[in-house]
């Protein structure tokens, strides 16, 4: 009986060992399967990311080609909402493998160019309309902020911006313009030249991230040198509201009826143009605004912001590039970033 009991115990131990190793093997197989599946998904995701980035880069090249083709086509020198580059984003581009690409091209004149607004002649003089316009523009933007955030002095903002960009080292209100900047950590100096990005506004005394983000939909810094005001044929309503007009008595921001009339002209498939232009479906600007606009409107742009959004499976990549087509034989990429 003892021998039989011992045999049963041994068989029980063997059974337990078999079950243990069976469970261990099952667990190992499950772990291996999960790891293999995870590695496959990682590899597939990396492939999708690479394909999406390549597709987006191709989109930037395609948009650049469209801009150069438009530039080579001649015409009256008007960039408007009716141009092929402006209509490119209305329909996404699909590929045979199910991927998609959506392009959007925005000309620099869609927003107000700070570098064109705050510009100086050879003697360093600034247009007398700049300070009052900046004051009104800042007022308009700040009034849309929550009441507890409306703590900015708009005239100081205007003067500090001019001090940061002008060639001298003296403040508009007197004193050294670098005193504030030299007290920062790390210390720096005023640019004494054009802004290279809107985020550079954060470096200017009185400006902060909250205000810069509020200004971003209205402003650009392109082109860095030269340029003009707002393009009436592409700017959205909130930017058109920054048109600074002479109403016969004083300069003031555009009233709603002027903005509405410009938008109605565009909705009717027409464009605004200067008196010298001869284009089909053209409405001469003086018929809408008979007096001065500051700064003078932009009619043709060489700088464009191109956004290419690529979708491959569940992966999405967006590239944004600023293209200068002033030289069609050698277009410049002024900036490039992934969003």
């Amino acid at each position: 009986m003892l021998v039989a009991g011992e045999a049963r115990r041994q068989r029980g131990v063997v059974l337990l060992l078999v079950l243990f190793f069976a469970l261990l093997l099952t667990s190992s197989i499950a772990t291996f399967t999960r790891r293999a599946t995870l590695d496959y998904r990682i590899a597939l995701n990396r492939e999708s990311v690479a394909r999406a980035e390549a597709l987006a880069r191709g989109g930037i090249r395609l948009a650049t080609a469209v801009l150069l083709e438009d530039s080579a086509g001649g015409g009256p020198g008007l960039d408007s909402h009716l141009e092929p580059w402006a209509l490119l984003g209305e329909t996404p581009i699909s590929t045979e493998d199910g991927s998609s690409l959506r392009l959007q091209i925005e000309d620099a004149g869609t927003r107000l160019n700070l570098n064109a607004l705050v510009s100086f002649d050879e003697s360093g003089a600034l247009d007398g309309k700049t300070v009052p316009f900046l004051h009104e523009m800042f007022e308009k933007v700040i009034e849309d902020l929550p009441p507890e955030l409306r703590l900015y002095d708009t005239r100081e903002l205007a003067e500090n911006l001019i001090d940061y960009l002008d060639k001298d080292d003296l403040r508009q209100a007197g004193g050294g313009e670098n005193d504030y900047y030299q007290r920062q950590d790390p210390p720096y100096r005023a640019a004494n030249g054009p802004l290279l990005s809107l985020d550079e506004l954060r470096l200017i005394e009185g400006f902060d991230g909250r205000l810069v983000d509020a200004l971003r939909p209205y402003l650009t810094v392109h082109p860095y040198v030269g340029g003009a005001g707002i393009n009436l044929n592409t700017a959205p309503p909130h930017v058109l509201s920054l048109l600074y007009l002479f109403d016969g008595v004083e300069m003031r921001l555009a009233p709603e009826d002027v903005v509405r009339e410009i938008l109605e002209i565009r909705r009717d498939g027409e464009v605004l143009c200067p008196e010298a232009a001869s284009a089909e479906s053209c409405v001469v600007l003086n018929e809408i605004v008979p007096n001065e606009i500051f700064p003078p409107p932009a009619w043709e742009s060489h700088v464009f912001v191109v956004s290419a959004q690529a979708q491959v499976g569940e992966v999405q990549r967006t590239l944004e590039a600023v293209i200068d087509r002033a030289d069609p034989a050698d277009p410049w990429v002024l900036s490039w970033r992934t969003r």
Side-chain angles (χ1 to χ4, degrees):
M1 296 295 294
L2 293 175
V3 174
E6 184 66 25
R8 284 195 297 272
R9 283 195 295 273
Q10 289 179 354
R11 287 196 298 271
V13 171
V14 170
L15 179 59
L16 289 174
L17 289 174
V18 170
L19 290 174
F20 171 75
F21 284 110
L23 289 173
L24 183 61
L25 179 61
T26 302
S27 177
S28 299
I29 292 174
T31 301
F32 175 79
T33 302
R34 286 196 299 272
R35 180 60 182 268
T37 302
L38 181 61
D39 289 345
Y40 171 76
R41 288 180 177 175
I42 291 174
L44 186 62
N45 186 69
R46 287 176 177 172
E47 180 185 358
S48 297
V49 168
R51 289 169 56 199
E53 290 180 350
L55 184 58
R57 287 195 299 271
I60 298 293
R61 291 182 177 274
L62 174 60
T64 302
V66 171
L67 289 171
L68 295 180
E69 179 69 20
D70 174 73
S71 179
L78 293 174
D79 283 310
S80 76
H81 61 297
L82 302 177
E83 297 294 314
W85 59 260
L87 304 174
L88 193 60
E90 293 185 355
T91 304
I93 302 170
S94 299
T95 63
E96 293 181 355
D97 64 357
S99 303
S100 65
L101 175 68
R102 183 177 290 275
L103 299 176
Q104 181 177 357
I105 303 178
E106 178 183 283
D107 77 294
T110 300
R111 304 182 191 190
L112 180 67
N113 183 2
L114 270 182
N115 288 326
L117 174 64
V118 187
S119 60
F120 308 87
D121 61 24
E122 293 182 357
S123 67
L126 182 71
D127 193 303
K129 304 179 189 66
T130 300
V131 171
F133 170 71
L134 286 173
H135 168 66
E136 290 204 42
M137 179 190 71
F138 290 140
E139 285 279 1
K140 181 174 182 60
V141 173
I142 290 170
E143 72 182 9
D144 291 332
L145 294 174
E148 65 273 14
L149 301 182
R150 301 174 193 168
L151 305 175
Y152 303 95
D153 186 317
T154 57
R155 292 204 175 272
E156 283 188 8
L157 289 174
E159 291 178 356
N160 292 342
L161 174 61
I162 293 169
D163 288 333
Y164 189 81
L165 300 181
D166 65 17
K167 300 298 183 182
D168 61 49
D169 294 325
L170 300 176
R171 294 172 60 94
Q172 300 283 314
E177 68 184 20
N178 284 307
D179 294 346
Y180 167 82
Y181 304 121
Q182 288 295 295
R183 292 196 302 268
Q184 305 309 301
D185 185 20
Y188 57 96
R189 303 180 67 83
N192 289 345
L195 294 169
L196 301 182
S197 75
L198 279 180
D199 287 315
E200 194 176 352
L201 285 173
R202 298 169 184 258
L203 299 176
I204 301 177
E205 181 179 0
F207 289 77
D208 55 24
R210 182 177 55 209
L211 178 58
V212 173
D213 288 341
L215 291 168
R216 199 177 299 278
Y218 297 87
L219 303 176
T220 182
V221 296
H222 300 297
Y224 299 131
V225 179
I230 298 167
N231 186 340
L232 307 183
N233 291 311
T234 60
H238 65 274
V239 177
L240 290 173
S241 68
L242 295 184
L243 288 172
Y244 201 44
L245 314 175
F246 183 67
D247 63 3
V249 178
E250 61 180 359
M251 298 293 294
R252 63 178 181 132
L253 295 180
E256 289 186 11
D257 60 326
V258 171
V259 174
R260 188 180 303 111
E261 189 166 3
I262 292 172
L263 294 174
E264 288 176 353
I265 289 172
R266 285 161 42 176
R267 279 195 294 268
D268 291 340
E270 298 179 310
V271 297
L272 286 159
C273 54
E275 286 184 326
S278 57
E280 294 182 4
S281 303
C282 175
V283 177
V284 177
L285 176 61
N286 284 351
E287 297 179 12
I288 309 303
V289 182
N291 299 311
E292 178 186 7
I293 296 179
F294 175 80
W299 300 106
E300 184 177 17
S301 182
H302 295 302
V303 180
F304 296 80
V305 180
V306 178
S307 175
Q309 182 185 88
Q311 183 85 35
V312 177
E314 298 181 357
V315 175
Q316 185 180 98
R317 283 293 182 273
T318 301
L319 295 180
E320 184 178 277
V322 179
I323 309 295
D324 186 337
R325 69 171 184 182
D327 182 359
D330 185 23
W332 286 13
V333 179
L334 302 181
S335 68
W336 181 287
R337 68 180 180 126
T338 301
R339 288 198 290 112

